[in-house]
Amino acid sequence: MAKTIAAIATGNSAGGIGVIRISGDNAVEIANKVFEPMNKNSSLLNLEGYRAKFGNIIYNNEKIDNAVALVFRAPKSYTGEDVVELSVHGGIFIVEKTLEAVLNAGAIPADAGEFTKRAFLNGKMDLTQAESVADLISAEGEAAAKASFNALQGSLSNKISNVLTSLTDCSALMAAWVDYPDEEIPELKEENLRETLVNAKDVLTDLIENYENGQTMIQGVDTAIVGRPNAGKSTLMNLLVGREKSIVTKIAGTTRDIVEESVRLGNIVLHLSDTAGIRESDDVVESIGIQRAFDKMDSASLVVAVFDSSKELNDDDIKLIEKCKGKKAVAVINKTDLDEVANTDLIKNAFKEVVYISAKHTDDTKPLEDAIKNVLGVSGFDASAPILANRRQKNCCKNALDNINEAIGALDLGLTYDAINVMADSAIDELLSLVGKKATVEVVNNIFSKFCVGK
Ligand code: GDP
């Protein structure tokens, strides 16, 4: 019997509505103890699933708020168990008080991710879908939200399941052929086995190759904005952020430390660092900032190098151009509203993507967005295609692919089906782990511990 759990499902701040979610065998009985319908002749106890009642929350025999109780009956609920959601007014106090009433009535507090874990354990979703719930909640940009929602709908699960089905069919035939050589077992033609293995290889290779791009779109890109003092880094950052975050002044060297901010640029998210102006400096504090700027450049996945087109390029600019070589970097030639003095050929020759902009006078960030996507190689990213959402999923695919490649090699060498089947089975195990059908308790617990309580 599943213990009945409860938690606040909505955010930890005041809002129009707050939801307390209860799940388990006694969910309806417990909700019935704290919720009194307006129509005193009715009760939650005999309410069918997908029905709601309006009433009051009762705490210590006192009405504390109006509420709507929404009842779901097992197995047709998020967790697959009986579920009641109590929607109350979204003040922090009222929401917490309602949860307290529910706990006093016999529910126990839910662990992080326990609702989704139950959904997974009750077969409502596989592990990739459960992981996508956490990704969807933490999505900051359109591509991340879309990719996570597609995964939740089963796009990755379906792709993997198709591979699994054909591999398992072949494996069963190979096992039968090995175990019962004298029986009339349908023959597995070598060409069919090869086709299945090559198809699995193609699907897995595709997923692995798209992993980094998927991560870029889901997690966002660590971006360092660099350039000599007064090039316009802070102005550019403010343009991207859309409000005054970095301090902009005419005195060189004002941005002394790294300012960090995440911004949405089209459907991509950039985690920006506006670094101290790069130049030789006697000022101790500023020097630390400049060193940090170089460190940041080394660790960032993307560098946006800003140059002042109204001034001759100086040694610091040249140093910066050199340092950007071999990195994913976009050059921004700023202050195009002023006369061009800088020799921009040097910049154009060094960077794959160059954007001309007047950061102070424009609000069009599309050219920068396009340049950044080109440099990152995500211009054609399709958020609706199945993608691997995390390292765990990627490792399972990688291990499965290694086994498939070995199986294809064994087939080329003319090895017998019993040898090939060992590799095919290992690949199947990895894919079963990926979707959670063979995942260890530790892996499952680890995944759900990263969720928030109430999800
Ligand atoms: P940072 O030191 O690189 O962060 O440079 P700031 O963003 O603080 O800008 C330095 C100065 O250049 C400020 O006075 C800005 O207003 C000015 N500035 C920035 N962008 C432009 C631009 O596109 N055109 C002009 N004319 N001035 C700009």
Side-chain angles (χ1 to χ4, degrees), residues 133-151:
V133 173
D135 290 340
L136 190 56
I137 292 171
S138 59
E140 293 177 309
E142 189 186 326
K146 201 167 174 183
S148 308
F149 184 63
N150 282 325

Side-chain angles (χ1 to χ4, degrees), residues 247-301:
I247 321 148
V248 183
T249 76
K250 279 188 179 150
I251 310 153
T254 2
T255 311
R256 295 239 165 139
D257 209 333
I258 293 175
V259 181
E260 294 192 327
E261 185 83 26
S262 294
V263 298
R264 270 191 289 273
L265 191 58
N267 64 354
I268 194 167
V269 173
L270 304 181
H271 306 297
L272 298 177
S273 307
D274 175 12
T275 56
I278 292 171
R279 63 165 187 177
E280 302 300 333
S281 170
D282 297 334
D283 179 320
V284 177
V285 179
E286 199 185 326
S287 301
I288 295 170
I290 290 167
Q291 185 51 47
R292 285 215 201 156
F294 275 120
D295 292 348
K296 188 71 210 173
M297 256 182 97
D298 288 335
S299 64
S301 313

Side-chain angles (χ1 to χ4, degrees), residues 381-419:
F381 180 76
D382 178 6
S384 60
I387 52 165
L388 300 172
N390 54 46
R391 198 155 285 284
R392 182 195 77 81
Q393 295 180 0
K394 186 196 171 193
N395 284 345
C396 291
C397 273
K398 174 82 179 53
N399 295 341
L401 180 60
D402 289 347
N403 283 299
I404 296 285
N405 280 332
E406 277 185 39
I408 293 173
L411 196 60
D412 291 343
L413 288 173
L415 298 192
T416 49
Y417 279 176
D418 50 345

Side-chain angles (χ1 to χ4, degrees), residues 225-238 246-255 274-278 306 308-311 333-338 357-362:
I225 300 185
V226 292
R228 81 189 214 208
N230 272 348
K233 299 177 295 300
S234 306
T235 309
L236 179 66
M237 178 133 168
N238 288 338
S246 301
I247 321 148
V248 183
T249 76
K250 279 188 179 150
I251 310 153
T254 2
T255 311
D274 175 12
T275 56
I278 292 171
V306 185
D308 183 343
S309 67
S310 70
K311 294 211 167 71
I333 298 180
N334 189 32
K335 308 196 187 181
T336 52
D337 53 301
L338 303 177
I357 200 170
S358 168
K360 194 173 175 180
H361 298 291
T362 186

